[in-house]
Amino acid sequence: NLLAENVTYGHSGGKIEGKAEMIKNAVHNENTYRQVGMDRSSIFFEGNTAIVRHVFNAIQNEKGKESPLKLSVLHVWHKKGKEWKLLARQSVKM
């Protein structure tokens, strides 16, 4: 219910997913994360649109290999009626 039907979900590696693919990959993701944190958050509202930025920090375990993960993330949310829906997400490695 949090995703707009036409959501675009962009990964730091350049892959862009639609709603069905994003949900499928999130459910079946075998990577794990620890020491998860978020900082430098900001939210800007313009009418029924919200621009959310933050830095995501974690230790990622991908196929048994741990590595630090630091991403700058941008979300675009749109309010329709009383509900906020994620319209777009993009991240870049820092």
Side-chain angles (χ1 to χ4, degrees):
N1 288 337
L2 290 175
L3 304 174
E5 286 304 315
N6 55 345
V7 65
T8 61
Y9 191 92
H11 293 270
S12 62
K15 182 177 183 178
I16 298 176
E17 300 170 333
K19 184 176 182 176
E21 186 178 16
M22 180 256 171
I23 292 171
K24 177 185 168 204
N25 289 337
V27 169
H28 298 290
N29 185 357
E30 295 181 6
N31 296 350
T32 59
Y33 304 89
R34 62 183 181 84
Q35 296 180 0
V36 174
M38 188 173 69
D39 58 17
R40 291 193 269 176
S41 300
S42 67
I43 302 173
F44 171 75
F45 293 94
E46 181 68 38
N48 289 339
T49 302
I51 306 298
V52 180
R53 293 179 184 272
H54 68 274
V55 174
F56 176 82
N57 297 290
I59 303 296
Q60 175 179 277
N61 185 328
E62 183 176 16
K63 299 179 183 175
K65 181 182 176 187
E66 284 195 340
S67 60
L69 179 63
K70 187 170 187 175
L71 302 173
S72 179
V73 182
L74 168 72
H75 288 183
V76 178
W77 292 82
H78 182 72
K79 187 175 184 181
K80 192 168 187 178
K82 294 183 179 182
E83 296 183 333
W84 284 97
K85 302 280 186 173
L86 181 64
L87 188 59
R89 183 262 193 194
Q90 185 63 57
S91 66
V92 294
K93 290 180 184 175
M94 296 180 69

